[in-house]
Amino acid sequence: MVGEEYRRWEGDMEALYVYTAGVAGDRFFREIRDNERLMGTYCPECDVTYLPPRLYCETCFSELNEWEEIPNKGRVDAITVAYVDDKGERLARPKVLAMVRFLGANGGLIHVVDLPEEDVYRGMEVEVVYLPRGLRKGSFLDILHFKAI
Amino acid sequence: MGRKWRGTPLTAADIAEGRVATAEWRPEAKYAWSAGESIGRFLEELQEGHLVGRKCDVDDTVFFPPRSFCQEHFVRAGEFVRLKNTGKVETYSVSYLDTDARRLEEPVYVGVISIDGAAEGMGFMHFLGEVEEKDLAIGMRVKAVWKPKKERMGAVTDILYFKPV
Amino acid sequence: MRKVAVIGAGMTLFRRRLLETGKEMCFQAVQMALEEAGLELKDVDAVVSGSAPDAFDGVHMKGEYLLDGAGGVRKPYMRVFTGGGTACFSPIAGWWHVASGLADVVLVVNEEKMSSITPHPQYAFANIWDPILDRPLKPNLVWIFAMEMNRYMTVYGIEKADIARVAVKNKRNAVDHPAAQLADPNITVDDVLNSEVMAWPVQRLDISPPSDGASALVLASEDVARQVSETPVWISGVGWCIDSTMWTNRDLSFPEYLARAAQQAYGMAKIENPRKEVDVVEPYDPFDYKELHHLEGLLLADKGEAPILTREGVTQRDGELPTCPSGGLMGVGNPIAATMGIKTGEIYWQLAGKAGRRQVPGSPQVGVCQAWGDLMQFSSVMVMRA
């Protein structure tokens, strides 16, 4: 029956998901919202600081209760430029996204860089720019973007 | 015993009122499921006002709903067979729940109806109608009530419900 | 095949909503299980993750997502999935890792976070139905259980009150479970019979609740188990079986697939007369009638006899065949795959003599746990010995 119209049935899988940020995530986002700072959790056993913070060390499995402020200065480790949005529609202006690593932290954050494509390079120093206090809701989008230092 | 039973309970209000950090997501995927050979034919026949099964050539078992292979003998199924519009209620429920778990004012009667001419006990799920709740019974004989022909679209809902005979 | 023991179990609280992410729940359950086993993550050779549909958590490829919280980073790791049957199937997958000689210590970690899907988990259950044959009727998953329950009641002439006794027993048993979500020391048969009708014959108090939760087990080879544990509990038989997905083509009054799974497990465990030899049982009880259905499928009662045994008190914690001494899904909660903690986990605690206030009397020596799932077509069974 190749080439013939085939009988099909159309539908969707409708749902709205509400994810809790969790024990570690809740404090992480609260610190961003209330104190404009990035906090990680430290594992004394393995001498590792996790960013984003985790409740446990994935290597030794101890529970992590020590929180450390991460300096608001990082380095671009990887870059991509998006020309289409998440629906595949062409963007009016390309969007530069970077994976930024922070000194002393294991992990990193991915976000938009507020610069034209040609001005962003691996190794450049950037810092986190937050939304104004009243607009912050305790989510990752409380971070507006990275900007060059 | 020094076991630690852990977990941090939340109320619905903790989430609704933003007392804890959350993130939301609404998937938007649309699906188109291919009906395949046997169910494709089943839907076509429904549109014409017929129930159809399909036979296993090894032992003449008639499957309903039809399928393209025999799960017992693992051979390709044989001929399609038109069945009667009648059958038997194998089981049923009186449901006050809709598909989204909301409460219905008036319950719907739903059952598994095995179809005459198909192998013993081979049926499908459908509604029961033109019947009082107190008269519903496992084993009752029923008959399909069809939508008017021009409203049929090749779907199980081309049958409105089954009613007692 | 090598002998395999359970040497530790852990679980989180079961609740409608927990703050913890799925990973964090896994971590808490694993930490508790490792503590009981006296081992650390570095002692673990492999990890088995078990979880039901991704659609509840709202994370695709949940096995990979849960990995770090389950302790699987940089280790052999796999996810198994048989719907609700995962609760006793992932321990079977853990068993074959050790029995085969592939690993000496295996962590089994099950998780479900059903609160993520809103407004109700029914939105995920809706997608279990056949999209062409069933979904156009706008079904609710409770329908199939209601229809199975009705068929079971009608074929064997069972009274609703005798089914309600299961809900009462399990919700009362759950009072002694520290993780319980729906324990009720005062519930009566009338409360169940007078509760709101959802889909007749299913009423509100016949159903277990949706829950968030995680559970974990530590399995070990004989050498390791004898070194580190004073109370290893041996896995002496496993079985599993699945019937056709065409549920409208099957007689729902008896779970034939479960009888086959049970026979496989009893054969391996050299159990000839399960009714005489089994001391304690944790059948899967997402609905009260399912405990009865499953006792019959497990060949621990004749067809239609389980309600009578329940009425006579045989299945009480101090009865001849203690059934769901944990409080079961009906009382402790139903985070689908994570109910491993009150099935395999509970039988481990019972046979190790570590069940605390839930301990059944008389030092039970042989226990059976069972889970059920997919589209009411699958069962997994495990026989364990002290």
Side-chain angles (χ1 to χ4, degrees):
Chain A
M1 304 216 293
V2 175
E4 286 178 42
E5 194 183 338
Y6 66 99
R7 213 170 253 272
R8 57 193 194 149
W9 192 265
E10 294 183 0
D12 57 21
M13 295 186 21
E14 193 200 321
L16 171 65
Y17 290 97
V18 180
Y19 307 96
T20 59
V23 176
D26 200 54
R27 167 133 186 215
F28 178 60
F29 291 121
R30 214 160 359 101
E31 294 281 358
I32 287 174
R33 183 190 66 195
D34 300 343
N35 302 319
E36 253 182 49
R37 59 178 183 175
L38 299 175
M39 296 288 282
T41 49
Y42 176 64
C43 177
E45 188 86 12
C46 304
D47 193 25
V48 167
T49 300
Y50 288 99
L51 177 76
R54 298 193 215 177
L55 178 63
Y56 49 87
C57 173
E58 69 174 27
T59 303
C60 73
F61 237 50
S62 25
E63 183 155 349
L64 308 182
N65 300 308
E66 291 182 37
W67 288 74
E68 280 192 350
E69 184 169 351
I70 311 291
N72 186 17
K73 196 193 315 179
R75 276 184 196 279
V76 170
D77 193 32
I79 305 158
T80 187
V81 183
Y83 295 91
V84 292
D85 69 11
D86 59 348
K87 305 278 186 303
E89 301 292 325
R90 206 86 197 152
L91 288 165
R93 201 159 58 99
K95 194 188 265 189
V96 184
L97 292 139
M99 157 76 149
V100 174
R101 295 194 188 275
F102 295 81
L103 196 64
N106 176 294
L109 301 177
I110 297 171
H111 216 307
V112 173
V113 188
D114 185 34
L115 283 173
E117 181 181 350
E118 55 275 17
D119 296 340
V120 182
Y121 56 92
R122 189 162 183 269
M124 79 181 288
E125 284 202 314
V126 292
E127 66 180 24
V128 172
V129 178
Y130 295 93
L131 282 174
R133 176 170 293 272
L135 298 179
R136 293 200 296 264
K137 290 177 181 150
S139 90
F140 197 64
L141 297 179
D142 288 353
I143 295 175
L144 185 60
H145 54 240
F146 295 120
K147 73 165 190 193
I149 299 179
Chain B
M1 230 152 291
R3 283 192 207 109
K4 277 184 270 172
W5 304 85
R6 300 165 68 198
T8 313
L10 297 176
T11 63
D14 288 332
I15 290 182
E17 289 164 23
R19 283 179 224 139
V20 293
T22 56
E24 291 189 0
W25 180 256
R26 190 185 287 282
E28 286 175 8
K30 300 286 178 209
Y31 295 87
W33 295 283
S34 166
E37 184 193 9
S38 292
I39 297 300
R41 173 73 178 269
F42 174 67
L43 298 178
E44 277 167 32
E45 295 273 353
L46 281 173
Q47 198 159 359
E48 297 304 316
H50 299 291
L51 288 170
V52 68
R54 196 169 182 184
K55 203 150 82 173
C56 170
D57 288 335
V58 177
D59 62 0
D60 289 344
T61 299
V62 176
F63 312 123
F64 179 84
R67 52 187 95 144
S68 302
F69 52 88
C70 171
Q71 66 180 17
E72 303 298 333
H73 304 104
F74 229 60
V75 292
R76 187 174 151 72
E79 293 294 299
F80 286 91
V81 185
R82 276 195 184 164
L83 305 173
K84 293 183 182 153
N85 270 332
T86 54
K88 190 171 79 177
V89 174
E90 297 287 337
T91 185
Y92 69 89
S93 173
V94 177
S95 179
Y96 289 87
L97 293 177
D98 80 357
T99 191
D100 299 331
R102 282 182 296 247
R103 192 138 187 101
L104 298 167
E105 288 288 312
E106 289 299 318
V108 294
Y109 306 152
V110 61
V112 173
I113 297 112
S114 60
I115 299 300
D116 293 338
E120 175 72 23
M122 285 223 173
F124 70 155
M125 181 169 69
H126 220 298
F127 298 115
L128 299 167
E130 294 183 46
V131 59
E132 297 286 319
E133 184 176 335
K134 64 175 171 48
D135 296 328
L136 288 169
I138 288 178
M140 76 191 284
R141 306 274 317 150
V142 290
K143 179 182 176 192
V145 175
W146 296 82
K147 275 184 182 169
K149 185 156 190 191
K150 61 177 185 330
E151 291 175 25
R152 291 185 214 143
M153 51 177 290
V156 286
T157 48
D158 289 349
I159 293 174
L160 290 166
Y161 50 81
F162 283 77
K163 69 172 185 185
V165 285
Chain C
M1 276 186 302
R2 304 200 303 169
K3 283 183 79 171
V4 184
V6 181
I7 58 169
M11 59 190 275
T12 62
L13 301 183
F14 288 178
R15 289 294 184 276
R16 180 68 184 88
R17 282 173 205 82
L18 289 175
L19 170 65
E20 283 77 4
T21 60
K23 295 163 184 256
E24 290 174 342
M25 292 193 294
C26 287
F27 165 72
Q28 292 176 342
V30 169
Q31 213 185 26
M32 186 169 160
L34 283 173
E35 252 165 47
E36 183 165 296
L39 295 176
E40 295 177 34
L41 188 62
K42 65 174 168 46
D43 304 317
V44 172
D45 298 320
V47 179
V48 174
S49 152
S51 205
D54 290 344
F56 294 116
D57 288 43
V59 178
H60 252 310
M61 297 169 52
K62 225 199 285 185
E64 286 69 13
Y65 165 72
L66 297 172
L67 170 76
D68 54 324
V73 171
R74 293 183 292 276
K75 292 186 192 297
Y77 177 84
M78 71 176 297
R79 174 191 182 184
V80 295
F81 173 89
T82 54
T86 311
C88 291
F89 188 66
S90 57
I92 294 176
W95 166 85
W96 75 54
H97 280 68
V98 180
S100 65
L102 193 66
D104 284 324
V105 177
V106 170
L107 260 178
V108 182
V109 191
N110 284 12
E111 179 268 4
E112 220 72 60
K113 189 155 169 93
M114 299 176 74
S115 65
S116 300
I117 188 159
T118 68
H120 193 277
Q122 196 57 230
Y123 280 69
F125 283 127
N127 304 313
I128 293 173
W129 297 97
D130 184 288
I132 301 174
L133 295 174
D134 299 331
R135 276 183 67 184
L137 302 174
K138 300 194 187 308
N140 184 294
L141 197 64
V142 175
W143 290 7
I144 54 173
F145 307 120
M147 288 191 274
E148 184 177 73
M149 181 171 173
N150 193 0
R151 177 94 193 158
Y152 174 59
M153 288 170 66
T154 305
V155 168
Y156 300 116
I158 294 163
E159 296 292 325
K160 188 78 208 288
D162 285 335
I163 291 177
R165 280 176 226 283
V166 174
V168 171
K169 168 178 68 75
N170 292 2
K171 285 171 189 288
R172 288 185 175 206
N173 280 351
V175 171
D176 295 322
H177 202 299
Q181 178 179 350
L182 276 188
D184 185 344
N186 302 315
I187 187 172
T188 64
V189 168
D190 281 343
D191 291 339
V192 181
L193 296 180
N194 294 330
S195 64
E196 184 183 35
V197 176
M198 316 281 279
W200 179 261
V202 173
Q203 293 174 263
R204 181 167 296 282
L205 292 177
D206 294 314
I207 311 188
S208 60
S211 317
D212 287 356
S215 59
L217 297 174
V218 182
L219 309 189
S221 63
E222 187 170 8
D223 284 355
V224 174
R226 294 207 191 277
Q227 270 173 37
V228 304
S229 174
E230 288 173 5
T231 54
V233 170
W234 305 97
I235 297 172
S236 54
V238 300
W240 65 100
C241 181
I242 188 162
D243 204 342
S244 171
T245 309
M246 303 293 286
W247 64 278
T248 57
N249 290 176
R250 286 192 271 124
D251 188 340
L252 303 174
S253 63
F254 182 74
E256 181 62 35
Y257 49 91
L258 169 53
R260 289 176 186 233
Q263 275 157 343
Q264 183 188 337
Y266 293 145
M268 189 170 160
K270 301 194 169 53
I271 293 213
E272 283 168 9
N273 186 343
R275 293 182 68 151
K276 282 214 174 109
E277 294 173 57
V278 175
D279 299 322
V280 56
V281 60
E282 275 285 347
Y284 207 62
D285 63 322
F287 293 77
D288 44 12
Y289 83 96
K290 288 309 300 185
E291 172 172 312
L292 305 169
H293 217 217
H294 290 152
L295 282 174
E296 294 169 17
L298 284 165
L299 313 174
L300 294 171
D302 291 338
K303 291 178 183 178
E305 189 199 13
I308 300 165
L309 299 183
T310 306
R311 196 198 306 148
E312 292 172 348
V314 172
T315 59
Q316 293 287 341
R317 210 181 262 152
D318 58 359
E320 210 174 303
L321 181 63
T323 304
C324 289
S326 67
L329 283 63
M330 291 295 298
V332 186
N334 186 3
I336 308 177
T339 59
M340 177 175 77
I342 50 175
K343 297 296 157 195
T344 317
E346 181 70 7
I347 294 296
Y348 158 71
W349 280 321
Q350 290 288 348
L351 299 183
K354 293 179 172 179
R357 293 200 298 157
R358 303 185 310 285
Q359 186 66 50
V360 307
S363 311
Q365 296 297 302
V366 177
V368 168
C369 59
Q370 175 256 340
W372 169 76
D374 289 339
L375 200 67
M376 43 186 227
Q377 67 191 132
F378 173 83
S379 265
S380 43
V381 178
M382 190 176 268
V383 180
M384 298 161 79
R385 286 183 198 271

